[in-house]
Amino acid sequence: MRYAETGYNLEIDLATGNIERVETDPKLMETHLGGLGTSVKIHWDRVPPEVKAFDPENLLIFSSGLLIGTPAFSANRTIVTFISPQTGLLAYPMMGGFWSAELKYAGYDKVIFRNKSPEWVYIWINNDKVEIRDASHLVGKGALETQELIRNELNQPNAQVAAIGPAGENKVFVASIEQSRSSSSRGGGGAVMGDKKIKAVAVRGTKDIYLAHGDEFMEQMKEMTKYIKFRNENPLPGIMTILSGIGSPAEMKHTDEKWHTESFAWGNARRRRKDFWTKEIEESWKKTQLESTKRLISCFNCPTQCGGLITHEDVPSYMMKCFSKLTYLMGAEVDDLDFGYKIAKRAFEYGVDSFSTPQILAFAVELYEAGILTDKDFAGTDKYEACPSDKRGRFFWLLDRLAHREGIGDILADGVYWAARKIGKGAEAYDHNTIKKHEQMNIKLGMMDPLYYLMYSTNEKISITQMEGNWPQAAFPNKEDREAFVKDWPQLPDEHFKQYFLDWEPRGEKANPYYPTADMCSEIVDWMEMLHNIDDACCVCAGMSSFCLKPPWHIHNYPKIISAATGLDLDEAGLKKIVNRSRNLHRAFNIRRGMSRADEKPPEDHWKKRFPELEENLLSTYYKYKGWNMDGIPTKEKLHELDLDYVAEDLEKRGLYKNGQD
């Protein structure tokens, strides 16, 4: 009997219509756990580096994680992996909700799609019955509308449906896969799904998942329950509201957005508005949010209500996802929360990434204001009217064009990096917030931050919003507050981290950019990265683990819970080795696809004050700490240590080790 996992993947060849239930090797769990870890292994084995995003050989994998379907709190993520049309690298955006649990209960750990369908289809997975069904009647429908239409068509109100909207159908590079109150957004999974002509994947499952040691597992959950209750009753003092508790963050529960609106940049990630959060704004936004939020909602088996059911004026009800309530209004520089609620509904129906898309639209506005794009680019046709001149109307118009790849939207649909180079005429200078061809969080700050320099530069998610985590974002000004914070910090991987935090000052010699030191930064970033990789193998929400301060999940209880679930005899060192193995395999996969040290730099104006020599030293120190050479490639020695000799052989065969750096 297999424990925690089902032991079966569902393989669907879209070209032939062949459907197979494939038993997996139980040793894969021992070496890569599940979720992202085993998906990376499949991509390494089956997707050569020459394969491009829209090639038939590009696999699209929907994966549940090792702890999905168990009583583990907040184990509810679906990891979707594919070669990104935007970056050319392996993307793995994740979505919450209930889809992943349904897949596990249907009897599958993953759904693997290969090749392309000749016609539009949707997939219906109902335990052992799997069908490829005609979706021609769903083409052009919104992603949220499609979910409801499929449930009605199947007469399955409890089916979970992951769907694309028009943006995915049109292969927009920032197209998302929408599902319930969540989405798999970053990197363009919706475009790959559209290229394969999959409109949706619906699933319903009623099978059991087994635990190896159920009594031990539930004891761990009881301890976690106590901690969650304690944290909910005792938010962290001195921390901005949205980060003081646990969650991802719970922006639909909280109305205080001073930190986001004043710390993050508006428009095309250009300017901060440090005095934005006035009493009038606070009262207006609070009123709008409380009146529009009909109830707070959670994902599968999660005690934290991070989402909200929204009914706002004449906009049909929908479920709001976290930071999406701010991204469009900040991009458009519209001060009214009303606009955010209205445009988000349309964006979710189209199925687009709520982080990238507002920046792309703001980029277009900035180019127009600079004279690089002209009235001709914003003109109407016999199909649609000319672009309105007001901020709200302009953003709605640009969103419509992008989702349908119409007019200037056909260029914008490829994202800021590619659009800037297609437009030319100096547009490249307005691409100032991408890394590895991917839009980053809209943050522009003063002093270079060494921790964030490494996180922005080196993590495989290529998205800081999913990488930061358990280490506070800034030093505490008062020593007494720092001492109080470290007094109860069991999540730390090692006690010596406490001293790093105690010595960290907001100004002076022990402040950014020289403190934490390069060696300290390497340790801290490696810890946060490690926890993210454990989360992504188990598909536990980062909001209850790697993303927030002092979370319920951490390196000291994870091995016990995984061991109780699977029967593995796993300690902390063993767990660290497994996720380090998967991390280095992922790194090698992207190295084979052309990623290099030259790509690992935050945007030039991300911080006003930059320190080139220090930044290079940070990168070199981190590479050395990770066991990579100065080109950022895992060394033969490191790969051997992780039982990845076959990877080293492949890298050597391809000539990627140079100047003896092996």
Side-chain angles (χ1 to χ4, degrees), residues 42-56:
I42 292 168
H43 282 280
W44 175 273
D45 290 342
R46 296 171 55 178
V47 183
E50 299 77 22
V51 171
K52 294 182 172 56
F54 297 141
D55 289 344

Side-chain angles (χ1 to χ4, degrees), residues 20-41:
E20 294 180 81
R21 180 172 179 260
V22 179
E23 187 173 4
T24 59
D25 184 350
K27 288 191 176 296
L28 279 175
M29 182 179 70
E30 298 176 21
T31 55
H32 295 279
L33 294 181
L36 177 64
T38 45
S39 288
V40 169
K41 181 69 167 72

Side-chain angles (χ1 to χ4, degrees), residues 170-209:
N170 293 310
K171 294 191 277 191
V172 171
F173 284 11
V174 293
S176 58
I177 303 168
E178 299 289 326
Q179 179 263 143
S180 183
R181 56 137 301 202
S182 190
S183 67
S184 175
S185 294
R186 313 237 69 190
V192 174
M193 196 163 157
D195 179 61
K196 293 184 179 297
K197 281 191 158 60
I198 307 168
K199 180 63 177 177
V201 186
V203 60
R204 182 78 175 109
T206 57
K207 298 183 180 182
D208 293 324
I209 300 296

Side-chain angles (χ1 to χ4, degrees), residues 75-372:
N76 51 43
R77 268 28 210 171
T78 305
I79 300 275
V80 185
T81 48
F82 51 90
I83 302 301
S84 167
Q86 196 172 17
T87 68
L89 305 175
L90 183 64
Y92 60 107
M94 59 204 75
M95 56 190 179
F98 294 77
W99 197 95
S100 194
E102 287 291 340
L103 181 68
K104 203 79 169 281
Y105 293 144
Y108 310 101
D109 296 314
K110 301 180 191 293
V111 183
I112 303 173
F113 292 104
R114 60 181 186 268
N115 294 323
K116 302 183 184 186
S117 172
E119 305 294 339
W120 281 101
V121 298
Y122 76 87
I123 314 301
W124 170 224
I125 304 167
N126 187 8
N127 291 328
D128 295 331
K129 184 180 180 181
V130 182
E131 300 176 76
I132 301 176
R133 299 172 64 106
D134 173 57
S136 57
H137 59 300
L138 299 171
V139 175
K141 302 292 186 186
L144 308 185
E145 181 185 8
T146 295
Q147 295 174 44
E148 285 306 308
L149 289 171
I150 287 176
R151 288 192 190 96
N152 292 336
E153 183 174 308
L154 296 171
N155 194 25
Q156 290 279 353
N158 293 320
Q160 296 301 311
V161 185
I164 60 172
E169 294 173 16
N170 293 310
K171 294 191 277 191
V172 171
F173 284 11
V174 293
S176 58
I177 303 168
E178 299 289 326
Q179 179 263 143
S180 183
R181 56 137 301 202
S182 190
S183 67
S184 175
S185 294
R186 313 237 69 190
V192 174
M193 196 163 157
D195 179 61
K196 293 184 179 297
K197 281 191 158 60
I198 307 168
K199 180 63 177 177
V201 186
V203 60
R204 182 78 175 109
T206 57
K207 298 183 180 182
D208 293 324
I209 300 296
Y210 299 97
L211 298 174
H213 307 294
D215 53 346
E216 295 177 20
F217 190 94
M218 294 312 296
E219 283 300 315
Q220 290 294 326
M221 289 304 105
K222 286 178 184 177
E223 289 301 311
M224 194 174 289
T225 301
K226 293 177 187 176
Y227 181 77
I228 292 170
K229 186 174 185 295
F230 169 77
R231 276 297 310 277
N232 284 337
E233 294 173 352
N234 297 274
L236 296 177
I239 304 290
M240 62 284 290
T241 304
I242 61 168
L243 296 181
S244 62
I246 47 179
S248 61
E251 282 194 73
M252 300 313 300
K253 183 182 293 185
H254 300 300
T255 59
D256 180 359
E257 289 291 0
K258 176 179 174 64
W259 182 69
H260 271 141
T261 56
E262 294 189 347
S263 299
F264 290 14
W266 293 60
N268 182 25
R270 286 291 190 186
R271 68 185 186 107
R272 291 173 63 190
R273 300 173 68 180
K274 297 182 182 181
D275 56 353
F276 174 78
W277 196 250
T278 63
K279 190 67 177 174
E280 292 73 24
I281 289 287
E282 181 179 14
E283 291 175 356
S284 169
W285 282 33
K286 183 176 181 179
K287 182 175 185 292
T288 299
Q289 183 165 327
L290 294 180
E291 287 179 352
S292 301
T293 305
K294 300 311 172 188
R295 62 183 173 89
L296 297 173
I297 51 180
S298 299
C299 296
F300 177 80
N301 202 29
C302 183
T304 302
Q305 298 169 311
C306 295
L309 177 63
I310 301 299
T311 302
H312 182 66
E313 296 184 357
D314 59 347
V315 178
S317 297
Y318 69 99
M319 289 181 273
M320 175 63 84
K321 301 172 296 189
C322 191
F323 194 53
S324 301
K325 78 175 187 182
L326 298 186
T327 54
Y328 287 94
L329 70 85
M330 290 180 70
E333 301 211 46
V334 173
D335 296 354
D336 193 345
L337 189 59
D338 163 85
F339 173 70
Y341 280 172
K342 288 179 177 175
I343 197 169
K345 165 66 172 177
R346 188 179 298 188
F348 294 168
E349 287 286 12
Y350 283 152
V352 287
D353 176 5
S354 292
F355 284 97
S356 288
T357 308
Q359 285 192 50
I360 298 168
L361 307 185
F363 163 76
V365 170
E366 195 171 34
L367 291 185
Y368 179 72
E369 292 173 346
I372 295 173

